[in-house]
Amino acid sequence: MSKKEKINQNAVLHGIIRYLIIVVGSIVYAVGFQFFMYPNSIVSGGVVGVAMIINYFSHLPVGVLTIILNLPLFIVAWRHFGLDFMVSSFVGMALSSAFVDLLAMTNIVLTDDPMLAGIVGGAIKGAGLGIIYYVGASTGGIDIIAKMLRKRFAHINFGTIVLILDFFIIGAYALVLGRYETSMYSIIAMIVTTKLIDLVLYGMDNSSICYIISEKSDVLTKDIISGHLKRGVTILNGEGAYSHHAKQVIMCVIKRTQFTELKKLVKSVDENAFFIVTDAKNVFGNGFDSISEVR
């Protein structure tokens, strides 16, 4: 087999696996929505939420309405994200909508407690969406709008953007149908869904960026690199705005589980050190995820 044929074979295999993952994500999404949220009138955000409002008055299947409402947004997606995103997202949208209507035929309701339905259903739905988003697809609708907004506001998590947009849909649901208590449960479900989306996309073991300003930066640098932490360090040249004295700023990225150890190290070397810690997501490089895993 030639190198070109092997590359083509790997590309086909990668494509098959990608669409199988979309199928799994669509099923998980449909289970959370149909077995928990829909029977308890907990509105799902986005286009599905709009479909639920229309369903209340017309009794048309939510899945069919979702597909119809998505068509204009897919035209927009074609222009902004190209054929690959449009095809995979159309598959995700079609499958999730189809599974929602198929599961509706089972008449299975796993709980009639709206709080439990919001939390568990929101978690399952969020896990399904996160799986679909992870392979670079979507379920259409509000996801497309969120993806467009994230291109402009890259510092905001995808799930957070979806949450903000969903609040508007839930507000409309409350005003149109007058179901204010149910809308409150829906907000809880949306928050849980968002957290699960970010959990699937970014993982539990988020990293931290640490900035350390110390008079003993040489000692700290050596201990961080060669001690138990064994983390890379970047030295930034800074200057005190008041004193105008030159200062070295230590910057390093650590696993969240290493924070306590680094804190103890800084304290043992220089109790007067200025120590800043901030969250970091999607860290790639030596000691973290490989950049080749970026999708």
Side-chain angles (χ1 to χ4, degrees):
M1 182 184 294
S2 67
K3 185 176 180 180
K4 184 176 181 181
E5 289 175 335
K6 189 174 181 179
I7 292 174
N8 291 335
Q9 187 180 56
N10 290 337
V12 171
L13 181 61
H14 176 78
I16 292 172
I17 293 173
R18 183 188 183 202
Y19 281 99
L20 285 175
I21 291 173
I22 293 174
V23 171
V24 172
S26 298
I27 294 173
V28 174
Y29 166 89
V31 168
F33 176 80
Q34 191 60 54
F35 289 169
F36 292 90
M37 298 175 67
Y38 182 77
N40 290 278
S41 298
I42 296 177
V43 65
S44 179
V47 170
V48 179
V50 177
M52 287 182 68
I53 297 174
I54 298 174
N55 167 264
Y56 180 82
F57 295 105
S58 66
H59 301 293
L60 292 172
V62 173
V64 173
L65 287 169
T66 300
I67 293 174
I68 294 172
L69 292 171
N70 264 297
L71 292 178
L73 290 172
F74 271 94
I75 294 174
V76 175
W78 176 285
R79 296 176 181 176
H80 287 270
F81 303 113
L83 181 62
D84 181 64
F85 174 78
M86 182 174 180
V87 171
S88 60
S89 295
F90 182 83
V91 171
M93 181 269 295
L95 286 175
S96 59
S97 300
F99 283 125
V100 163
D101 286 346
L102 286 173
L103 294 181
M105 298 178 185
T106 65
N107 294 317
I108 295 175
V109 179
L110 296 182
T111 180
D112 57 2
D113 184 332
M115 177 65 77
L116 191 59
I119 295 174
V120 178
I124 296 174
K125 177 192 166 192
L129 287 173
I131 291 170
I132 295 171
Y133 298 157
Y134 184 77
V135 294
S138 79
T139 55
I142 214 78
D143 305 339
I144 293 174
I145 299 174
K147 192 174 179 68
M148 292 173 64
L149 288 174
R150 197 165 190 272
K151 289 180 68 176
R152 184 172 181 180
F153 305 103
H155 60 285
I156 304 177
N157 289 344
F158 185 87
T160 303
I161 296 176
V162 172
L163 178 64
I164 294 171
L165 295 173
D166 283 344
F167 271 127
F168 289 98
I169 304 298
I170 294 172
Y173 177 82
L175 293 173
V176 173
L177 302 184
R179 295 187 174 183
Y180 300 104
E181 184 173 319
T182 303
S183 297
M184 295 177 192
Y185 288 122
S186 299
I187 291 174
I188 294 174
M190 287 301 99
I191 293 173
V192 174
T193 297
T194 300
K195 293 300 180 182
L196 261 294
I197 289 173
D198 285 343
L199 181 62
V200 174
L201 290 179
Y202 307 116
M204 291 182 63
D205 192 17
N206 292 334
S207 302
S208 297
I209 301 176
C210 302
Y211 298 94
I212 307 167
I213 303 173
S214 169
E215 298 297 331
K216 301 178 180 179
S217 58
D218 292 341
V219 178
L220 284 171
T221 298
K222 181 179 178 181
D223 288 346
I224 293 171
I225 294 174
S226 59
H228 292 296
L229 289 170
K230 287 184 170 54
R231 285 296 173 190
V233 170
T234 299
I235 300 296
L236 306 177
N237 293 319
E239 179 182 316
Y242 179 76
S243 65
H244 295 289
H245 291 162
K247 294 181 180 292
Q248 286 190 332
V249 181
I250 299 172
M251 185 188 78
C252 64
V253 180
I254 60 171
K255 295 286 189 179
R256 186 69 58 82
T257 53
Q258 296 176 311
F259 169 71
T260 301
E261 187 177 353
L262 179 60
K263 185 178 178 181
K264 289 180 179 178
L265 173 62
V266 174
K267 183 179 179 181
S268 66
V269 174
D270 183 5
E271 289 189 348
N272 297 317
F274 197 65
F275 189 20
I276 306 169
V277 181
T278 183
D279 289 340
K281 297 182 184 293
N282 289 336
V283 179
F284 301 98
N286 186 28
F288 297 90
D289 293 334
S290 171
I291 192 67
S292 63
E293 297 178 10
V294 178
R295 299 179 184 273

